[in-house]
Amino acid sequence: MDEVDVPSYFLCPISQEIMRDPVTVSSGITYDRESIEKWIFSSNNNNKCPVTRQPLLLSETDLMTPNHTLRRFIQSWCTLNAIERIPTPKPPIDEAQIVKLLNEGKAPEHQMRCLRRLRSIANESERNRKYLESAGAVEFLASIVEEDNESPSTDEALYILHRLEISEVGLKKLLLSRNGDFIERLMMRVLQNGSYTSRAYATLLLKSMFELSDSTYLMTLRVEHFVQIVNVLRDQISQEASKASLHIMVELCQWSRNRIKAVEADAISVLIEMLLETTEKRHSEMVLVVLDQLCGCAEGRAELLKHGAGIAVVSKKIVRVSHVATDRGVRILYLVSRFSATSSVLQEMLQVGVVSKLCLVLLVDCSLKTKEKAKEMLRLHSRV
């Protein structure tokens, strides 16, 4: 294609690539459908035409006029120039078709066929995903997850819910309409008994929902809920699921009562094992952030000290990973040395090289607060 001069009017003004599905918008400019839909759905563009800067209507995706003549010219030109012919695009789906499909899917015998069709629609374009949400697909999929269906239906429904990238409004509506029941289903059924696939997508969905949940509700979560989140980390279902679980832990452990629940769920042991195994920077930082939160309570510090590698692995990550890891690692050691510094603990800190690490912290580039904590630890136990 590089050797052929492509007529400029075949190129999309946004992507500068040959248009596969040319459509004309209200400003009179023709774009490739996928490119202009991405532009319209982007929150940064204020729904203005990329070329003329004229305002586009909020329902612009419904008002795009397919430019069939230009598409046929492009297809003929591709054929004449021995370029792979661009296929005729499928007509875009509308909300009425989606509503009809959802109604059909309510019958058990049609459910899997409906779910496969919804997956295909969601994967086609961002426009389709927006239409699925506005047509009520989120509520339909959530009802399938809440039922005791066979695993394939739950797997498929959770994948689509994840793929939809549900808006903040949609997530809040889901939370309010089911009064926490959907979260309970995800945590105590899917995370506990679901397939690895279902557990992974449920964890990603929970992360988004917890970020919007009321703090009063988050503080009422039980130890059993924390056990399921920790098990996702323990089982190493996927890297994305592990990161989502760590984000959930950070969100939930803002409150002291939740820290104790997390410790009771064996979070400390699992986090230390993760820290021993991981070499990924962001992963190490997130684990240390959660460990820092949990060491804010006496139960957390006790569990850290009970693990044979707890102090050693935290010390090891200091100055070796990032500024964030160094700050959090020093904070953890500070909490231990300030509130749990028995003679045996201090001897262990000496043996695993904590003192030399603290001296190194004073010499390297890190935050002033971190240096102050290192100095204070050295002063507190200078005699030892």
Side-chain angles (χ1 to χ4, degrees), residues 16 19 32 41 66 72 78 90 127 168 170 180 187 197 216 228 260 268 272 288 307 320-321 333 350 362:
Q16 293 302 310
M19 290 183 278
D32 183 71
F41 286 127
R72 293 189 189 103
C78 288
K90 294 185 292 184
R127 171 188 184 275
E168 186 174 317
M187 299 191 76
T197 301
T216 306
Q228 301 311 322
I260 296 171
I268 294 282
I272 291 171
L288 287 166
H307 195 292
R320 296 185 63 174
V321 178
L333 295 178
L350 277 169
L362 299 178

Side-chain angles (χ1 to χ4, degrees), residues 337-349:
S337 68
R338 183 73 185 271
F339 302 109
S340 307
T342 63
S343 58
S344 60
V345 169
L346 293 174
Q347 286 301 319
E348 181 183 353
M349 293 175 80

Side-chain angles (χ1 to χ4, degrees), residues 198-209:
S198 285
R199 291 172 71 196
Y201 289 127
T203 305
L204 293 167
L205 192 54
L206 282 167
K207 172 183 173 290
S208 299
M209 298 183 80

Side-chain angles (χ1 to χ4, degrees), residues 63-101:
L63 301 176
M64 292 177 183
T65 305
N67 194 328
H68 297 301
T69 302
L70 179 57
R71 176 177 52 75
R72 293 189 189 103
F73 276 138
I74 293 173
Q75 289 175 326
S76 298
W77 180 86
C78 288
T79 302
L80 289 171
N81 288 276
I83 294 171
E84 183 181 358
R85 187 176 184 274
I86 294 172
T88 301
K90 294 185 292 184
I93 197 162
D94 58 35
E95 285 193 35
Q97 292 171 287
I98 295 172
V99 170
K100 181 182 177 183
L101 180 62

Side-chain angles (χ1 to χ4, degrees), residues 4 12 16 41 53 70 95 132 145 220 231 246 261 307 315 359 364:
V4 181
C12 174
Q16 293 302 310
F41 286 127
R53 307 307 296 173
L70 179 57
E95 285 193 35
L132 282 169
V145 174
T220 64
N231 282 341
L246 289 170
K261 295 172 193 173
H307 195 292
S315 175
C359 292
V364 299

Side-chain angles (χ1 to χ4, degrees), residues 182-376:
F182 185 59
I183 288 180
E184 183 71 15
R185 161 64 174 163
L186 289 177
M187 299 191 76
M188 299 312 297
R189 294 187 186 177
V190 179
L191 289 190
Q192 188 169 21
N193 302 312
S195 66
Y196 268 30
T197 301
S198 285
R199 291 172 71 196
Y201 289 127
T203 305
L204 293 167
L205 192 54
L206 282 167
K207 172 183 173 290
S208 299
M209 298 183 80
F210 280 143
E211 288 171 351
L212 299 174
S213 295
D214 183 75
S215 59
T216 306
Y217 170 75
L218 297 181
M219 286 189 282
T220 64
L221 293 176
R222 307 185 302 276
V223 174
E224 293 87 345
H225 294 127
F226 284 87
V227 168
Q228 301 311 322
I229 298 166
V230 170
N231 282 341
V232 173
L233 295 171
R234 178 183 280 114
D235 295 342
Q236 298 182 31
I237 294 173
S238 72
Q239 192 170 32
E240 285 302 308
S242 293
K243 286 182 178 179
S245 294
L246 289 170
H247 277 286
I248 290 171
M249 293 290 284
V250 171
E251 187 73 29
L252 296 181
C253 293
Q254 299 176 63
W255 301 281
S256 56
R257 68 180 69 178
N258 280 353
R259 292 171 193 165
I260 296 171
K261 295 172 193 173
V263 172
E264 291 178 11
D266 198 30
I268 294 282
S269 175
V270 173
L271 291 167
I272 291 171
E273 294 300 325
M274 291 177 68
L275 208 54
L276 285 166
E277 295 174 9
T278 187
T279 56
E280 204 266 318
K281 173 186 168 183
R282 184 58 183 156
H283 214 164
S284 296
E285 291 175 346
M286 289 293 296
V287 172
L288 287 166
V289 167
V290 181
L291 278 175
D292 177 24
Q293 288 177 308
L294 299 185
C295 285
C297 64
E299 295 85 349
R301 294 191 296 275
E303 286 298 311
L304 180 80
L305 294 172
K306 187 188 296 184
H307 195 292
I311 293 293
V313 72
V314 170
S315 175
K316 183 180 178 181
K317 296 297 178 180
I318 293 173
V319 188
R320 296 185 63 174
V321 178
S322 66
H323 288 307
V324 172
T326 297
D327 292 345
R328 293 293 179 165
V330 170
R331 277 171 57 91
I332 293 167
L333 295 178
Y334 176 80
L335 289 168
V336 170
S337 68
R338 183 73 185 271
F339 302 109
S340 307
T342 63
S343 58
S344 60
V345 169
L346 293 174
Q347 286 301 319
E348 181 183 353
M349 293 175 80
L350 277 169
Q351 289 169 5
V352 300
V354 169
V355 175
S356 58
K357 265 297 172 70
L358 295 177
C359 292
L360 185 58
V361 166
L362 299 178
L363 300 174
V364 299
D365 178 28
C366 61
S367 71
L368 186 60
K369 284 186 178 180
T370 298
K371 287 181 185 288
E372 287 301 319
K373 282 185 170 56
K375 285 179 184 177
E376 188 171 345

